[in-house]
Amino acid sequence: MNISYRWLKEYINLDYTSEEVAAFLTQIGLEVGSIEEVETIKGGLRGLVIGEVLTCEKHPDSDHLSKTTVNVGKGEILPIVCGAQNVAAGQKVVVATVGTTLYDGDNEFKIKKSKIRGEVSEGMICAEDEIGLGSSHDGIMVLDPSAIPGTPASEYFKIDSDFVLEVDLTANRIDAASHIGVARDLSAYISQKHPVTYSRPSVDAFKVDNRSLEIPVEVRNTKACPRYSGVTISNVTVKESPEWLKNKLKLVGLKPINNIVDITNFVLFETGQPLHAFDAAEIKGNKVVVRTATAGTKFVTLDGVEREMHADDLLICNETEGMCIAGVFGGLHSGVKDSTTSIFLESAWFDSVYIRKTARRHILSTDASFRFERGTDPNGTIYALKRAALLIKEVAGGEISSEIVDVYPEPVSGFKVDVNYASIKRLIGIDLGKEKIKQILAALEIAVENETETGLSLLVPPYRVDVTRECDVIEELLRIYGYNNIELPTLVNSSLQYSVKPNPTKLRNLIAEMLTAQGFNEIWSNSLTKTSYYENNPVFKIESTVKIFNPLSNDLGSMRQTLLYGGLESVAHNANRKNPDLRLYEFGNCYFTNGRDLKENSIRNYREEEHLALFVTGDKEASNWTNQANKTSFFLLKSYTENVLKRLGFPVLSLKVEGFSNELISEGIQYLLNGKKLVEFGVVAGKVLKAFDIENPVYFADFSMDVLFVELKNNKVLFAELPKYPEVRRDLALLIDKDIQFNQLRDVAFRSERKLLQSVDLFDVYEGKGVPEGKKSYAVSYILRDDEKTLNDKQIEKIMQKLVSAYERELGAQLR
């Protein structure tokens, strides 16, 4: 939010520079992101002066140019060649002297001494569009005869520079979303140094001129609209706003529209209270009705878009139709137009949840909805209404033609909070003293209703929607007292803590370091994702999806059930930017609900699981002059997956292996231990890749980290001395059925020889010429070793014969 330094000083007496004010605001939680010096006119009219045309005659060598002499003050007479047809002797004009820079949008040019058709010209007599004071180029600007030559143009036109402070508001500090709100906080802080107060402009001059235009108000949904105030103003003249008003709005980033609308925007940025002005002639039935919409109703907003209303959208209506989406956006036909002569001015307090949901549904974000969503001051509507009415009379004329209508069935008094002195000292760390505490509370407009020896009973104003508990009050005290004023303690207290075994953080880092060393990059995906990913999804069902009540957008409507979709988004993002060769990993939580009635809002309805995802796609290595590019494969992912398990100490060979496939993974394998799934990995289905416009195959592994952590507790690290005796390798070429898998061969081998067989590996697979149909050839290696003696040929031959017999008996295998 932009805050004008000069505008701020209208409400608080500041003897500090803009930089000092920015530092103060940052210290009290209103962090200033930037300070920018701005001018209402680019360049601030520097180098431009008021001049008087002394002589004017035709250029001797041109029919459309004039040769003039101009007095620019201090006795300096400049010869200037001018092309305007309306230039004449005796005029007071604006002169750009030599060296002045003029701006045309983003372009700029410098005035130089030159010869124009043989005549010397030492400046330029300016038109209003050439110096940013208007859009007309019909001729030069002719000023009032009272203008004094030599007066700087910036002084004559009252052009002032200002500093705009960009305040990065947190969601809870909507009370500071205005110049008065910032002044209030600033005065509370500065008053700890020396006495200072802020002040609001008086509205005592407000009075009803007549009652010629009474418009009653009916609020049918007081939950959505707890307070609605309004007043009519007749015989107004809609026109361009005065310069002071336009300049203020430009400083905070708003485009001036007309004097009525500009006043409502001015009061919004002054007080924080959104206002809306209706053309009274468009209020059919001469009555304002505040109600929720009928579902499916069509309504055309100010931007010309026809929107379909939801049953919970709050509308400001006349007796027959809607005029405005309450607190969000005005209607196309009910707003102020050039022909408007009477207005109905609205100042309301709308329920933040209703406004937030409506704004999200229609993807609308306005200055008004920004404030209503977070909570405005329910007791500030009348002040803002009176302030705007008086300003409208000032800039547009007219008379206040009705009493103020104020529908406020249940007035809000504030939040009652009890705070204990001992709690203040415990949380802040020092004793502020009772008087200092009460001084800060008074500066924050927090009333003390009762005081005891141990604490205070307070009444917090309702505009402080974030101060409802004792700890909130203590935070306010510390914020104004100053975090920097809390001395560092000389005593440090500590306690012994024993980390969980196994340490999850240590294990994550262990895995991350290994994967990074193998060429992987870590990614972080948003845990909020598209609901559409889980609609009609047979693997991750929509009933188990944790949905967000008030999503920021349709793309962030649910919490993820899997890391797959976020990773595929990263793969697609990189592939679209010519980076298709990827190895990615991500640690993250996935979220589930049991599908029960979420209104119970019980923690038992939800669960979260930690997962590790691996993504491999593209080429394993880029091609170069010595090697061709090698594509990644399922078996490359399998090696990475098993490396992770081995690094954690899991006996990969003893894990149960199961194949699987579903709508997301076309071919995959699961590793299980004690009936629990440690990891599943495979090839992402082509239909899924097509939805992300990914052309290359993607190989995906999903580790259940929670299961890994649990099983690691039961994992014992055993030490074995290095073998003293040599190992022996023997190979077999086996002809087996196509549906037999390698793990079956390995299991049979270890069942047949438990003592001397150390490992079994597959090093070749062949199908084709010479191999019968329905068969395949496996080349398998076996490592044998006796830890007590060297094996002899007879022992080795006996073991190999036993293996061959077991293969023939159990799997129907044949030696080739």
Side-chain angles (χ1 to χ4, degrees):
M1 185 193 69
N2 291 336
I3 292 293
S4 161
Y5 173 69
R6 294 176 65 90
W7 190 353
L8 185 65
K9 291 174 70 174
E10 295 179 13
Y11 312 108
I12 179 173
N13 184 21
L14 290 174
D15 293 326
Y16 300 97
T17 65
S18 58
E19 288 81 6
E20 290 172 322
V21 170
F24 293 159
L25 292 176
T26 299
Q27 289 180 45
I28 58 177
L30 303 179
E31 183 177 356
V32 176
S34 65
I35 305 174
E36 180 185 0
E37 185 176 6
V38 296
E39 296 157 328
T40 52
I41 295 176
K42 192 171 183 178
L45 302 184
R46 283 185 290 274
L48 296 167
V49 297
I50 307 303
E52 181 180 7
V53 181
L54 300 179
T55 64
C56 179
E57 55 187 55
K58 284 291 183 182
H59 192 289
D61 195 25
S62 174
D63 294 333
H64 65 277
L65 297 176
S66 299
K67 187 173 70 168
T68 68
T69 56
V70 182
N71 173 20
V72 292
K74 299 180 181 178
E76 188 176 5
I77 310 297
L78 299 179
I80 298 176
V81 175
C82 181
Q85 298 301 307
N86 66 327
V87 64
Q91 292 173 336
K92 300 295 177 62
V93 294
V94 180
V95 178
T97 57
V98 172
T100 299
T101 300
L102 299 182
Y103 299 89
D104 180 14
D106 292 330
N107 300 318
E108 61 181 55
F109 63 95
K110 193 174 233 183
I111 302 298
K112 300 178 181 177
K113 181 178 179 179
S114 61
K115 276 191 175 183
I116 302 177
R117 296 285 184 95
E119 295 293 332
V120 174
S121 182
E122 297 182 5
M124 173 178 167
I125 303 176
C126 301
E128 64 178 41
D129 67 325
E130 293 169 331
I131 57 177
L133 288 174
S135 57
S136 174
H137 196 68
D138 294 337
I140 61 170
M141 289 184 72
V142 179
L143 307 180
D144 189 270
S146 62
I148 301 172
T151 304
S154 59
E155 181 180 322
Y156 179 83
F157 290 106
K158 296 180 173 58
I159 303 300
D160 294 316
S161 66
D162 196 358
F163 294 93
V164 172
L165 283 61
E166 184 183 359
V167 179
D168 301 327
L169 284 181
T170 52
N172 63 313
R173 290 307 312 278
I174 196 62
D175 61 290
S178 66
H179 284 75
I180 288 179
V182 171
R184 179 172 53 219
D185 246 30
L186 196 58
S187 69
Y189 179 74
I190 296 175
S191 65
Q192 307 309 307
K193 303 175 183 293
H194 57 81
V196 64
T197 58
Y198 81 98
S199 60
R200 300 192 303 180
S202 173
V203 293
D204 293 343
F206 179 88
K207 66 181 182 65
V208 178
D209 297 308
N210 57 64
R211 293 169 180 78
S212 60
L213 186 58
E214 297 281 356
I215 297 180
V217 173
E218 179 186 356
V219 179
R220 295 181 184 174
N221 188 335
T222 55
K223 179 182 178 183
C225 179
R227 186 175 194 179
Y228 192 93
S229 311
V231 71
T232 64
I233 306 174
S234 301
N235 301 320
V236 296
T237 302
V238 179
K239 57 184 178 181
E240 185 178 357
S241 295
E243 288 299 322
W244 70 266
L245 179 55
K246 290 193 293 184
N247 289 342
K248 276 187 164 62
L249 295 182
K250 289 176 183 176
L251 284 170
V252 295
L254 294 184
K255 181 181 178 181
I257 299 173
N258 60 55
N259 52 354
I260 304 294
V261 175
D262 290 350
I263 286 297
T264 62
N265 286 329
F266 171 84
V267 173
L268 167 64
F269 277 84
E270 180 182 56
T271 67
Q273 173 63 45
L275 304 172
H276 191 74
F278 296 94
D279 186 337
E282 299 291 339
I283 303 178
K284 298 175 183 178
N286 205 43
K287 182 179 181 180
V288 170
V289 180
V290 184
R291 61 174 175 82
T292 47
T294 302
T297 301
K298 305 294 184 181
F299 181 74
V300 182
T301 47
L302 195 59
D303 55 359
V305 176
E306 184 179 74
R307 305 178 189 275
E308 184 174 319
M309 295 292 102
H310 185 275
D312 288 333
D313 291 338
L314 189 66
L315 294 179
I316 310 300
C317 308
N318 53 41
E319 283 205 325
T320 60
E321 61 189 0
M323 299 188 295
C324 172
I325 302 178
V328 180
F329 212 22
L332 182 62
H333 306 295
S334 62
V336 174
K337 302 174 281 290
D338 291 343
S339 58
T340 299
T341 58
S342 298
I343 65 169
F344 176 82
L345 190 60
E346 164 197 286
S347 179
W349 174 42
F350 298 117
D351 179 74
S352 59
V353 175
Y354 272 85
I355 302 304
R356 187 184 305 116
K357 288 184 176 181
T358 295
R360 296 296 177 270
R361 271 193 291 268
H362 299 291
I363 316 177
L364 289 170
S365 180
T366 61
D367 287 323
S369 68
F370 176 82
R371 288 159 176 80
F372 281 128
E373 286 175 31
R374 290 157 177 80
T376 57
D377 182 5
N379 296 329
T381 61
I382 298 299
Y383 173 82
L385 194 67
K386 290 181 177 180
R387 172 72 169 150
L390 290 172
L391 289 171
I392 288 173
K393 287 184 66 177
E394 178 184 328
V395 301
E399 305 93 31
I400 297 172
S401 49
S402 74
E403 296 286 350
I404 289 178
V405 179
D406 187 23
V407 181
Y408 194 17
E410 297 181 11
V412 176
S413 60
F415 309 107
K416 293 182 180 294
V417 181
D418 291 330
V419 60
N420 189 281
Y421 290 130
S423 298
I424 296 173
K425 181 178 180 180
R426 177 175 57 85
L427 291 180
I428 292 180
I430 63 172
D431 186 0
L432 297 183
K434 296 181 180 180
E435 293 306 315
K436 172 61 74 172
I437 290 171
K438 288 186 282 187
Q439 179 189 354
I440 295 174
L441 292 174
L444 290 170
E445 299 182 350
I446 298 176
V448 177
E449 291 193 312
N450 186 43
E451 181 179 5
T452 65
E453 284 296 318
T454 58
L456 301 168
S457 296
L458 306 175
L459 183 65
V460 180
Y463 61 77
R464 288 308 308 270
V465 294
D466 61 321
V467 183
T468 58
R469 304 166 300 171
E470 181 186 47
C471 59
D472 298 329
V473 174
I474 296 172
E475 182 184 1
E476 289 298 293
L477 292 170
L478 178 56
R479 186 173 64 85
I480 299 303
Y481 180 76
Y483 291 97
N484 294 339
N485 293 327
I486 304 298
E487 296 180 0
L488 293 175
T490 57
L491 178 66
V492 177
N493 296 319
S494 65
S495 59
L496 292 175
Q497 291 186 340
Y498 299 93
S499 61
V500 178
K501 300 293 185 181
N503 188 325
T505 302
K506 185 177 179 180
L507 292 177
R508 290 187 204 101
N509 291 338
L510 190 70
I511 297 170
E513 289 171 1
M514 185 192 76
L515 291 173
T516 301
Q518 293 179 337
F520 278 76
N521 288 301
E522 185 175 7
I523 60 172
W524 284 359
S525 301
N526 198 334
S527 56
L528 297 177
T529 186
K530 297 179 182 178
T531 306
S532 59
Y533 287 151
Y534 305 103
E535 294 172 350
N536 303 316
N537 189 325
V539 181
F540 299 102
K541 299 184 182 300
I542 189 67
E543 294 82 8
S544 300
T545 304
V546 179
K547 296 181 181 179
I548 306 302
F549 286 137
N550 302 306
L552 294 174
S553 71
N554 294 331
D555 289 344
L556 302 172
S558 297
M559 302 192 76
R560 65 188 176 197
Q561 293 189 57
T562 174
L563 301 180
L564 174 62
Y565 297 119
L568 291 179
E569 289 175 357
S570 297
V571 170
H573 181 85
N574 280 273
N576 292 337
R577 287 155 181 80
K578 307 300 182 183
N579 184 30
D581 306 328
L582 300 168
R583 279 172 282 186
L584 309 173
Y585 71 92
E586 178 178 13
F587 293 95
N589 288 341
C590 297
Y591 306 87
F592 305 87
T593 176
N594 58 20
R596 295 178 184 172
D597 185 4
L598 298 183
K599 291 182 180 179
E600 296 178 13
N601 201 27
S602 171
I603 194 70
R604 293 189 298 272
N605 289 338
Y606 306 92
R607 77 178 193 278
E608 62 181 81
E609 302 172 356
E610 184 178 351
H611 287 253
L612 164 64
L614 307 185
F615 298 87
V616 178
T617 184
D619 293 338
K620 180 181 178 183
E621 293 179 358
S623 61
N624 54 50
W625 67 279
T626 59
N627 294 308
Q628 295 293 323
N630 294 320
K631 292 288 183 183
T632 55
S633 66
F634 170 84
F635 294 101
L636 179 64
L637 175 68
K638 181 174 180 286
S639 68
Y640 290 137
T641 302
E642 292 185 348
N643 285 343
V644 171
L645 294 174
K646 290 176 183 177
R647 189 69 183 87
L648 294 176
F650 286 99
V652 174
L653 294 179
S654 63
L655 297 177
K656 184 177 180 181
V657 181
E658 292 183 356
F660 80 99
S661 65
N662 54 42
E663 285 75 3
L664 302 182
I665 305 297
S666 58
E667 297 178 74
I669 289 177
Q670 297 176 340
Y671 283 171
L672 298 94
L673 180 64
N674 300 325
K676 298 176 183 177
K677 183 172 64 179
L678 298 179
V679 61
E680 64 180 22
F681 57 96
V683 186
V684 179
K687 183 179 179 181
V688 177
L689 297 181
K690 186 177 180 181
F692 287 86
D693 292 326
I694 297 173
E695 297 179 356
N696 288 333
V698 177
Y699 305 95
F700 169 66
D702 182 13
F703 292 84
S704 177
M705 297 302 293
D706 294 330
V707 176
L708 288 174
F709 293 151
V710 170
E711 293 301 325
L712 276 174
K713 291 180 180 178
N714 305 320
N715 229 16
K716 292 184 178 179
V717 178
L718 300 178
F719 167 78
E721 63 178 342
L722 293 174
K724 296 178 181 179
Y725 300 96
E727 60 186 30
V728 177
R729 170 173 167 160
R730 290 291 184 269
D731 297 339
L732 291 178
L734 300 170
L735 191 65
I736 56 177
D737 292 339
K738 266 191 174 183
D739 58 351
I740 294 176
Q741 297 179 353
F742 169 69
N743 64 304
Q744 293 175 267
L745 292 171
R746 185 180 58 198
D747 292 345
V748 169
F750 279 108
R751 284 200 304 270
S752 301
E753 177 53 56
R754 299 177 183 273
K755 181 180 178 182
L756 302 181
L757 182 61
Q758 303 297 320
S759 67
V760 181
D761 290 298
L762 177 68
F763 64 89
D764 188 40
V765 179
Y766 175 72
E767 296 179 51
K769 187 177 180 181
V771 175
E773 186 175 352
K775 299 285 187 177
K776 60 184 175 182
S777 174
Y778 268 13
V780 184
S781 67
Y782 302 86
I783 301 296
L784 304 171
R785 188 184 69 242
D786 191 334
D787 292 332
E788 297 178 354
K789 62 183 178 180
T790 301
L791 291 172
N792 56 48
D793 291 341
K794 187 176 180 180
Q795 287 177 298
I796 296 169
E797 185 62 30
K798 183 179 179 181
I799 293 171
M800 297 307 297
Q801 188 57 48
K802 185 165 54 172
L803 292 178
V804 171
S805 299
Y807 286 148
E808 290 175 349
R809 183 176 61 255
E810 297 188 33
L811 301 177
Q814 302 174 19
L815 281 177
R816 288 190 67 194

